[in-house]
Amino acid sequence: MTTMLEKALATIVMTFHKYSGKEGDKFKLSRSELKELLMNELPAFNSKRMDAGEFQKIISDLDHNKDNEVDFQEFTCFLACVTMGFDEFFRGCPKCLKQFLASLGSWAGKDSEGFEKHFPREGKQDQVWWAKRNKMNGSLEEALGVLINTFHKYSGREGDKLKLNKREMRELLLQELPTFVKGKIDEPGFEHMMKKLDDDGDEELDFQEYAVFLALTASLCDEFFRECSDVSNRKM
């Protein structure tokens, strides 16, 4: 059975291609495609209207190769940053997270307990902001919420509640990404992955390092999507 995390990664891939195929290069987002994606799929991120200067800054920050388009790797880097921003916000406002997870309905299910039980303190700042704005209702935002909740579902089990140790990360892979690990962890590969992701060398993954891992995993999903698309086109 597909897990919530796997569904979230698939949503990221499908959302990108939902917009990238509308004009020009079907594997890149043009300026107009990216703007439409932000308006429709990230209403919380776009809760205030962006002026031309703000949108241009987003494009400039994302477009690493300066071709005036955003490819999938650049898109996942952007989503990693957005997810880190959401995570930081929710840490200061656990009640907001509870409301958000409740709004996910079947998306979150019983897994919605992950973050909140590790942050029982009352958040003071941003409560008014949350009360005034609409609930997050884009499926892409829901997917990002699942990424956040999955991290905290495992990070709080032992040791530092804001980091994943090797045991927690191993369990996360087995339980939340079974399609990728096929029920068994390749230990040399796992150790190599942890070493590559662990920028500060503490043998644990903080949320930023976890977000990098998910961006790389989403890129693998995207490659699979492209291969399937190519095979389908050749059969036509």
Side-chain angles (χ1 to χ4, degrees):
M1 181 181 294
T2 305
T3 68
M4 297 306 305
L5 185 57
E6 290 175 335
K7 288 180 181 178
L9 293 172
T11 295
I12 290 172
V13 175
M14 298 308 294
T15 300
F16 177 86
H17 291 286
K18 174 182 175 182
Y19 292 88
S20 69
K22 293 189 173 184
E23 59 183 42
D25 191 329
K26 67 178 181 179
F27 294 129
K28 292 185 179 181
L29 292 167
S30 66
R31 294 169 63 90
S32 61
E33 289 169 340
L34 177 61
K35 191 166 187 176
E36 185 180 1
L37 187 155
L38 292 177
M39 295 289 290
N40 294 337
E41 306 296 339
L42 289 172
F45 176 79
N46 192 46
S47 57
K48 65 183 184 69
R49 288 188 176 275
M50 289 184 294
D51 60 30
E54 289 172 321
F55 181 67
Q56 180 57 44
K57 186 177 187 308
I58 291 175
I59 287 285
S60 298
D61 290 343
L62 291 178
D63 185 18
H64 296 152
N65 60 3
K66 305 305 177 186
D67 63 352
N68 286 317
E69 294 181 306
V70 174
D71 62 26
F72 189 80
Q73 185 175 353
E74 293 165 338
F75 177 66
T76 55
C77 287
F78 166 68
L79 288 186
C81 292
V82 173
T83 306
M84 286 185 274
F86 284 171
D87 178 63
E88 185 175 346
F89 168 76
F90 284 138
R91 289 189 198 181
C93 185
K95 277 191 174 181
C96 298
L97 180 84
K98 184 177 181 180
Q99 293 173 37
F100 167 57
L101 291 172
S103 76
L104 301 188
S106 60
W107 251 100
K110 64 180 181 180
D111 288 343
S112 62
E113 303 171 359
F115 187 112
E116 187 199 0
K117 71 179 182 180
H118 302 306
F119 293 89
R121 65 185 186 282
E122 293 291 327
K124 295 182 180 179
Q125 73 273 25
D126 301 317
Q127 293 269 2
V128 174
W129 177 89
W130 182 265
K132 286 182 177 180
R133 68 169 304 280
N134 294 329
K135 288 181 178 180
M136 294 181 181
N137 54 11
S139 60
L140 183 58
E141 281 183 330
E142 294 172 349
L144 299 184
V146 170
L147 305 188
I148 294 169
N149 190 60
T150 300
F151 176 86
H152 294 287
K153 176 182 175 182
Y154 291 88
S155 68
R157 296 189 174 184
E158 57 186 52
D160 191 331
K161 67 182 180 180
L162 299 180
K163 293 185 178 182
L164 291 165
N165 62 28
K166 289 183 178 181
R167 188 198 307 269
E168 291 165 337
M169 184 60 178
R170 187 179 284 105
E171 186 176 0
L172 186 155
L173 290 173
L174 287 169
Q175 298 300 321
E176 308 298 336
L177 293 172
T179 302
F180 292 83
V181 300
K182 307 296 184 184
K184 183 178 180 181
I185 298 291
D186 173 57
E187 288 302 326
F190 175 76
E191 292 294 334
H192 178 73
M193 179 194 74
M194 289 293 292
K195 186 176 181 179
K196 288 290 186 180
L197 292 172
D198 183 19
D199 283 341
D200 56 11
D202 64 354
E203 297 190 346
E204 294 182 308
L205 300 183
D206 60 23
F207 191 84
Q208 182 174 342
E209 293 162 340
Y210 164 78
V212 170
F213 162 73
L214 289 182
L216 295 172
T217 305
S219 293
L220 291 176
C221 294
D222 180 61
E223 288 179 14
F224 178 76
F225 174 88
R226 290 196 192 192
E227 290 174 2
C228 291
S229 178
D230 289 342
V231 170
S232 177
N233 289 335
R234 286 198 296 269
K235 289 180 178 180
M236 291 179 65

